[in-house]
mmCIF file of all heavy atoms in Angstrom:
data_model
loop_
_atom_site.group_PDB
_atom_site.id
_atom_site.type_symbol
_atom_site.label_atom_id
_atom_site.label_comp_id
_atom_site.label_asym_id
_atom_site.label_seq_id
_atom_site.Cartn_x
_atom_site.Cartn_y
_atom_site.Cartn_z
ATOM 1 N N ARG A 20 93.550 155.930 197.740
ATOM 2 C CA ARG A 20 93.128 157.160 198.420
ATOM 3 C C ARG A 20 91.610 157.195 198.554
ATOM 4 O O ARG A 20 91.071 157.586 199.603
ATOM 5 C CB ARG A 20 93.646 158.376 197.659
ATOM 6 C CG ARG A 20 93.521 159.679 198.444
ATOM 7 C CD ARG A 20 94.333 160.791 197.805
ATOM 8 N NE ARG A 20 93.933 161.036 196.426
ATOM 9 C CZ ARG A 20 94.754 160.920 195.376
ATOM 10 N NH1 ARG A 20 96.015 160.570 195.553
ATOM 11 N NH2 ARG A 20 94.331 161.170 194.154
ATOM 12 N N ALA A 21 90.896 156.786 197.519
ATOM 13 C CA ALA A 21 89.434 156.807 197.552
ATOM 14 C C ALA A 21 88.884 155.862 198.622
ATOM 15 O O ALA A 21 87.914 156.177 199.310
ATOM 16 C CB ALA A 21 88.870 156.441 196.182
ATOM 17 N N ARG A 22 89.505 154.708 198.758
ATOM 18 C CA ARG A 22 89.049 153.730 199.755
ATOM 19 C C ARG A 22 89.692 153.941 201.126
ATOM 20 O O ARG A 22 89.339 153.249 202.074
ATOM 21 C CB ARG A 22 89.375 152.300 199.281
ATOM 22 C CG ARG A 22 88.390 151.759 198.273
ATOM 23 C CD ARG A 22 88.682 150.294 197.971
ATOM 24 N NE ARG A 22 88.606 149.424 199.140
ATOM 25 C CZ ARG A 22 87.477 148.905 199.632
ATOM 26 N NH1 ARG A 22 86.319 149.214 199.079
ATOM 27 N NH2 ARG A 22 87.503 148.109 200.679
ATOM 28 N N GLU A 23 90.640 154.854 201.190
ATOM 29 C CA GLU A 23 91.420 155.034 202.419
ATOM 30 C C GLU A 23 92.039 153.703 202.852
ATOM 31 O O GLU A 23 91.988 153.298 204.015
ATOM 32 C CB GLU A 23 90.560 155.617 203.540
ATOM 33 C CG GLU A 23 90.056 157.025 203.224
ATOM 34 C CD GLU A 23 89.332 157.655 204.401
ATOM 35 O OE1 GLU A 23 88.530 156.949 205.061
ATOM 36 O OE2 GLU A 23 89.571 158.840 204.674
ATOM 37 N N THR A 24 92.637 153.024 201.879
ATOM 38 C CA THR A 24 93.327 151.767 202.152
ATOM 39 C C THR A 24 94.513 151.989 203.068
ATOM 40 O O THR A 24 94.818 151.155 203.924
ATOM 41 C CB THR A 24 93.775 151.126 200.827
ATOM 42 O OG1 THR A 24 92.615 150.851 200.026
ATOM 43 C CG2 THR A 24 94.551 149.844 201.054
ATOM 44 N N VAL A 25 95.199 153.095 202.859
ATOM 45 C CA VAL A 25 96.255 153.510 203.784
ATOM 46 C C VAL A 25 95.860 154.868 204.337
ATOM 47 O O VAL A 25 95.308 155.704 203.622
ATOM 48 C CB VAL A 25 97.637 153.569 203.111
ATOM 49 C CG1 VAL A 25 98.158 152.179 202.836
ATOM 50 C CG2 VAL A 25 97.601 154.371 201.828
ATOM 51 N N ILE A 26 96.125 155.052 205.615
ATOM 52 C CA ILE A 26 95.688 156.263 206.311
ATOM 53 C C ILE A 26 96.852 156.803 207.143
ATOM 54 O O ILE A 26 97.839 156.100 207.379
ATOM 55 C CB ILE A 26 94.476 155.977 207.217
ATOM 56 C CG1 ILE A 26 94.796 154.840 208.191
ATOM 57 C CG2 ILE A 26 93.239 155.643 206.385
ATOM 58 C CD1 ILE A 26 93.697 154.487 209.152
ATOM 59 N N VAL A 27 96.722 158.026 207.574
ATOM 60 C CA VAL A 27 97.737 158.641 208.429
ATOM 61 C C VAL A 27 97.230 158.629 209.865
ATOM 62 O O VAL A 27 96.145 159.126 210.151
ATOM 63 C CB VAL A 27 98.050 160.081 207.972
ATOM 64 C CG1 VAL A 27 99.030 160.732 208.935
ATOM 65 C CG2 VAL A 27 98.621 160.071 206.550
ATOM 66 N N VAL A 28 98.015 158.033 210.754
ATOM 67 C CA VAL A 28 97.689 157.953 212.169
ATOM 68 C C VAL A 28 98.810 158.634 212.942
ATOM 69 O O VAL A 28 99.952 158.160 212.921
ATOM 70 C CB VAL A 28 97.527 156.493 212.630
ATOM 71 C CG1 VAL A 28 97.192 156.439 214.119
ATOM 72 C CG2 VAL A 28 96.448 155.790 211.814
ATOM 73 N N ASP A 29 98.505 159.731 213.573
ATOM 74 C CA ASP A 29 99.503 160.480 214.336
ATOM 75 C C ASP A 29 100.733 160.797 213.480
ATOM 76 O O ASP A 29 101.867 160.666 213.926
ATOM 77 C CB ASP A 29 99.905 159.701 215.595
ATOM 78 C CG ASP A 29 100.647 160.574 216.607
ATOM 79 O OD1 ASP A 29 100.503 161.809 216.542
ATOM 80 O OD2 ASP A 29 101.389 160.026 217.431
ATOM 81 N N GLY A 30 100.486 161.181 212.243
ATOM 82 C CA GLY A 30 101.564 161.585 211.357
ATOM 83 C C GLY A 30 102.281 160.453 210.664
ATOM 84 O O GLY A 30 103.233 160.694 209.907
ATOM 85 N N ALA A 31 101.863 159.207 210.887
ATOM 86 C CA ALA A 31 102.533 158.054 210.288
ATOM 87 C C ALA A 31 101.573 157.307 209.365
ATOM 88 O O ALA A 31 100.412 157.078 209.713
ATOM 89 C CB ALA A 31 103.048 157.116 211.365
ATOM 90 N N LEU A 32 102.063 156.924 208.191
ATOM 91 C CA LEU A 32 101.248 156.180 207.232
ATOM 92 C C LEU A 32 101.077 154.742 207.703
ATOM 93 O O LEU A 32 102.052 154.075 208.063
ATOM 94 C CB LEU A 32 101.921 156.209 205.861
ATOM 95 C CG LEU A 32 101.063 155.762 204.668
ATOM 96 C CD1 LEU A 32 99.937 156.757 204.421
ATOM 97 C CD2 LEU A 32 101.927 155.614 203.420
ATOM 98 N N GLN A 33 99.829 154.273 207.709
ATOM 99 C CA GLN A 33 99.517 152.916 208.140
ATOM 100 C C GLN A 33 98.424 152.336 207.266
ATOM 101 O O GLN A 33 97.638 153.069 206.670
ATOM 102 C CB GLN A 33 99.029 152.902 209.597
ATOM 103 C CG GLN A 33 100.024 153.378 210.620
ATOM 104 C CD GLN A 33 99.528 153.116 212.037
ATOM 105 O OE1 GLN A 33 98.525 152.436 212.251
ATOM 106 N NE2 GLN A 33 100.245 153.649 213.016
ATOM 107 N N PRO A 34 98.329 150.988 207.200
ATOM 108 C CA PRO A 34 97.179 150.386 206.530
ATOM 109 C C PRO A 34 95.933 150.556 207.384
ATOM 110 O O PRO A 34 96.001 150.495 208.620
ATOM 111 C CB PRO A 34 97.570 148.912 206.411
ATOM 112 C CG PRO A 34 98.507 148.689 207.557
ATOM 113 C CD PRO A 34 99.267 149.976 207.716
ATOM 114 N N ALA A 35 94.806 150.768 206.741
ATOM 115 C CA ALA A 35 93.542 150.843 207.473
ATOM 116 C C ALA A 35 93.110 149.441 207.886
ATOM 117 O O ALA A 35 93.504 148.451 207.270
ATOM 118 C CB ALA A 35 92.475 151.489 206.598
ATOM 119 N N PRO A 36 92.301 149.330 208.939
ATOM 120 C CA PRO A 36 91.767 148.008 209.293
ATOM 121 C C PRO A 36 91.009 147.399 208.123
ATOM 122 O O PRO A 36 90.335 148.097 207.365
ATOM 123 C CB PRO A 36 90.817 148.329 210.461
ATOM 124 C CG PRO A 36 91.363 149.583 211.059
ATOM 125 C CD PRO A 36 91.891 150.380 209.902
ATOM 126 N N ALA A 37 91.114 146.091 207.976
ATOM 127 C CA ALA A 37 90.444 145.384 206.891
ATOM 128 C C ALA A 37 90.035 143.999 207.400
ATOM 129 O O ALA A 37 90.673 143.458 208.301
ATOM 130 C CB ALA A 37 91.380 145.267 205.686
ATOM 131 N N PRO A 38 88.962 143.405 206.833
ATOM 132 C CA PRO A 38 88.106 143.952 205.786
ATOM 133 C C PRO A 38 87.124 144.982 206.329
ATOM 134 O O PRO A 38 87.140 145.300 207.524
ATOM 135 C CB PRO A 38 87.379 142.712 205.272
ATOM 136 C CG PRO A 38 87.296 141.812 206.466
ATOM 137 C CD PRO A 38 88.568 142.036 207.219
ATOM 138 N N ARG A 39 86.248 145.481 205.443
ATOM 139 C CA ARG A 39 85.268 146.495 205.823
ATOM 140 C C ARG A 39 83.950 145.821 206.217
ATOM 141 O O ARG A 39 83.576 144.797 205.657
ATOM 142 C CB ARG A 39 85.015 147.461 204.654
ATOM 143 C CG ARG A 39 86.282 147.981 203.964
ATOM 144 C CD ARG A 39 87.080 148.903 204.853
ATOM 145 N NE ARG A 39 88.353 149.288 204.256
ATOM 146 C CZ ARG A 39 88.513 150.299 203.418
ATOM 147 N NH1 ARG A 39 87.477 151.022 203.031
ATOM 148 N NH2 ARG A 39 89.720 150.587 202.944
ATOM 149 N N PHE A 40 83.267 146.419 207.166
ATOM 150 C CA PHE A 40 81.993 145.876 207.645
ATOM 151 C C PHE A 40 80.919 146.947 207.539
ATOM 152 O O PHE A 40 81.123 148.081 207.971
ATOM 153 C CB PHE A 40 82.123 145.401 209.093
ATOM 154 C CG PHE A 40 83.083 144.263 209.269
ATOM 155 C CD1 PHE A 40 84.441 144.505 209.439
ATOM 156 C CD2 PHE A 40 82.639 142.952 209.252
ATOM 157 C CE1 PHE A 40 85.335 143.464 209.589
ATOM 158 C CE2 PHE A 40 83.519 141.901 209.405
ATOM 159 C CZ PHE A 40 84.874 142.157 209.581
ATOM 160 N N SER A 41 79.749 146.578 207.001
ATOM 161 C CA SER A 41 78.699 147.564 206.765
ATOM 162 C C SER A 41 77.971 147.958 208.045
ATOM 163 O O SER A 41 77.598 149.120 208.222
ATOM 164 C CB SER A 41 77.690 147.023 205.742
ATOM 165 O OG SER A 41 77.069 145.841 206.224
ATOM 166 N N ALA A 42 77.759 147.012 208.951
ATOM 167 C CA ALA A 42 76.970 147.299 210.151
ATOM 168 C C ALA A 42 77.832 147.590 211.377
ATOM 169 O O ALA A 42 77.385 148.288 212.288
ATOM 170 C CB ALA A 42 76.039 146.122 210.451
ATOM 171 N N THR A 43 79.043 147.050 211.412
ATOM 172 C CA THR A 43 79.908 147.234 212.587
ATOM 173 C C THR A 43 81.293 147.694 212.139
ATOM 174 O O THR A 43 82.268 146.954 212.274
ATOM 175 C CB THR A 43 80.031 145.931 213.391
ATOM 176 O OG1 THR A 43 80.491 144.882 212.510
ATOM 177 C CG2 THR A 43 78.704 145.537 214.011
ATOM 178 N N PRO A 44 81.395 148.880 211.586
ATOM 179 C CA PRO A 44 82.698 149.338 211.079
ATOM 180 C C PRO A 44 83.720 149.484 212.197
ATOM 181 O O PRO A 44 83.381 149.804 213.333
ATOM 182 C CB PRO A 44 82.365 150.694 210.450
ATOM 183 C CG PRO A 44 81.129 151.149 211.149
ATOM 184 C CD PRO A 44 80.349 149.914 211.431
ATOM 185 N N ALA A 45 84.980 149.225 211.835
ATOM 186 C CA ALA A 45 86.066 149.369 212.798
ATOM 187 C C ALA A 45 86.343 150.845 213.053
ATOM 188 O O ALA A 45 86.153 151.695 212.179
ATOM 189 C CB ALA A 45 87.321 148.681 212.276
ATOM 190 N N ALA A 46 86.803 151.145 214.252
ATOM 191 C CA ALA A 46 87.170 152.516 214.592
ATOM 192 C C ALA A 46 88.504 152.870 213.959
ATOM 193 O O ALA A 46 89.264 151.998 213.532
ATOM 194 C CB ALA A 46 87.256 152.668 216.108
ATOM 195 N N ALA A 47 88.796 154.158 213.904
ATOM 196 C CA ALA A 47 90.095 154.604 213.419
ATOM 197 C C ALA A 47 91.176 154.081 214.345
ATOM 198 O O ALA A 47 91.004 154.092 215.572
ATOM 199 C CB ALA A 47 90.139 156.127 213.363
ATOM 200 N N PRO A 48 92.296 153.600 213.807
ATOM 201 C CA PRO A 48 93.356 153.058 214.670
ATOM 202 C C PRO A 48 93.937 154.121 215.591
ATOM 203 O O PRO A 48 93.934 155.314 215.285
ATOM 204 C CB PRO A 48 94.408 152.575 213.661
ATOM 205 C CG PRO A 48 93.681 152.417 212.371
ATOM 206 C CD PRO A 48 92.615 153.466 212.375
#
């Protein structure tokens, strides 16, 4: 939960994009 490893997208649980990038972070799915 702290890392938002899994997130809710349109009411559905999904894995967040990985890995993480400091300068070019991925957008929310």
Side-chain angles (χ1 to χ4, degrees):
R20 193 166 58 240
R22 280 186 60 83
E23 296 186 317
T24 299
V25 288
I26 55 179
V27 176
V28 180
D29 195 21
L32 194 67
Q33 298 189 9
R39 313 292 174 86
F40 296 86
S41 61
T43 55

